[in-house]
Amino acid sequence: MNEQHYDAWPIGMRTFSRLSVTVKGRPVTVAASASGEGAGDELVVLLHGLGCTRESWDAVVPAVDHRRRWLAIDLPGHGQSAPLPPRQADAIGFHAAVVVELVRQLAPDRVHLVSHSMGTAVALAAAPDLPGGAFITVEGNLVARDCGLISRRIATQSRGTFIRSGFARMRDDLIASPDADARFWGSTWFACADPASIWASAASLVAWCDSGALAERWSRLTDRTYIWGEHTGPPGHLGHLLDGVRVEQIAGVGHFAMIGNPIGLQQAVMRAMAPDGQAST
């Protein structure tokens, strides 16, 4: 049976833990933040994007939620979590398996998945093996075009080249960017990631997007919300994939809504999870 090992202390309204699971015969330890016990058996799992960390969600989590528990993790190779296993061929699938095992240990009746960017691919890969709940994506990867310049730029480099020089070059480019969100991302989150894990995650993400598998999984879901930033612009490239989907715009932000308008994002997430569409706790 998988075990959880806790080394916890309070961080405001949150706790920090190191959680251990076994995935495909390998022990995996990830860093996690949790908030709220919740009155029921609903769990909110927060999944960050490529080169980000669980802290990206800190300002989005409500101080009090009587209905739900919240859990944000550093995916393998990100933040304070251990790197991916060497030469991991399907990093997205591995990340998803970690999420599934963690949720199985917590044994909630219902799981809401809230994801950003690459985290949406992880959530879609994990969703079929989790108790159903709301699926909420913040500008998540669904199709090939969503890979944009970052993940595809990484994936087109060889693994060795990216580890030797590509990672540092991309970090420096982000830090020097005229965009404030990119500078924050590069200096605060991306800089602490494991280069090999970033390359494997990007390569796997591009493969999943290009194959059409993510769009297909997205179309099977029933309770879906797509959130986009005003500065990014409407997600018109998704076309019919947004038919019948709740779509919300977060004012005054681009790709990183959790940086520029965390309260607006929090309210949108809470509305998406509430049965009556109201942002209640």
Side-chain angles (χ1 to χ4, degrees):
M1 180 177 180
N2 296 335
E3 297 180 354
Q4 299 182 50
H5 301 289
Y6 294 94
D7 180 17
W9 62 88
I11 307 175
M13 296 299 293
R14 305 171 68 85
T15 60
F16 172 81
S17 304
R18 294 194 182 279
L19 308 181
S20 296
V21 296
T22 300
V23 176
K24 300 179 181 179
R26 294 176 176 270
V28 181
T29 299
V30 297
S33 294
S35 179
E37 294 300 325
D41 292 312
E42 293 187 34
L43 176 68
V44 183
V45 178
L46 301 153
L47 298 172
H48 62 73
L50 180 67
C52 297
T53 71
R54 71 187 192 284
E55 284 93 351
S56 64
W57 297 107
D58 281 354
V60 178
V61 177
V64 177
D65 186 348
H66 297 295
R67 299 173 60 173
R68 310 170 188 91
R69 294 172 290 165
W70 294 66
L71 178 71
I73 68 169
D74 285 336
L75 293 169
H78 294 70
Q80 294 177 279
S81 289
L84 281 165
R87 306 289 180 175
Q88 181 60 43
D90 179 17
I92 295 299
F94 191 89
H95 291 319
V98 170
V99 172
V100 169
E101 290 303 322
L102 287 174
V103 171
R104 283 177 178 165
Q105 290 189 5
L106 295 172
D109 290 338
R110 195 170 186 220
V111 177
H112 305 290
L113 294 171
V114 182
S115 57
H116 176 235
S117 200
M118 181 195 76
T120 297
V122 177
L124 286 169
D129 296 316
L130 299 176
F135 192 103
I136 304 161
T137 176
V138 184
E139 298 202 1
N141 287 78
L142 296 177
V143 298
R145 181 172 164 182
D146 290 327
C147 291
L149 298 176
I150 299 296
S151 54
R152 200 171 293 278
R153 174 181 162 188
I154 294 171
T156 54
Q157 300 177 55
S158 71
R159 179 179 183 274
T161 297
F162 182 75
I163 292 172
R164 287 192 303 271
S165 60
F167 176 84
R169 186 177 300 111
M170 181 165 287
R171 177 201 62 210
D172 293 346
D173 287 348
L174 291 172
I175 293 173
S177 171
D179 180 74
D181 289 351
R183 293 197 301 272
F184 185 87
W185 174 27
S187 62
T188 306
W189 300 330
F190 193 87
C192 67
D194 171 59
S197 298
I198 291 294
W199 183 87
S201 297
S204 180
L205 176 62
V206 169
W208 275 78
C209 287
D210 288 355
S211 72
L214 296 180
E216 180 181 355
R217 288 174 181 246
W218 167 259
S219 297
R220 294 177 193 163
L221 301 173
T222 55
D223 188 354
R224 297 171 290 169
T225 298
Y226 187 96
I227 298 174
W228 56 281
E230 178 185 11
H231 295 166
T232 302
H237 69 287
L238 295 178
H240 71 280
L241 290 177
L242 295 184
D243 291 346
V245 176
R246 179 190 290 109
V247 178
E248 293 216 27
Q249 172 192 287
I250 307 300
V253 300
H255 187 61
F256 290 94
M258 61 281 295
I259 296 176
N261 190 352
I263 299 304
L265 179 56
Q266 178 194 101
Q267 292 173 343
V269 168
M270 297 298 284
R271 284 192 295 271
M273 291 191 297
D276 57 2
Q278 300 296 315
S280 62
T281 58

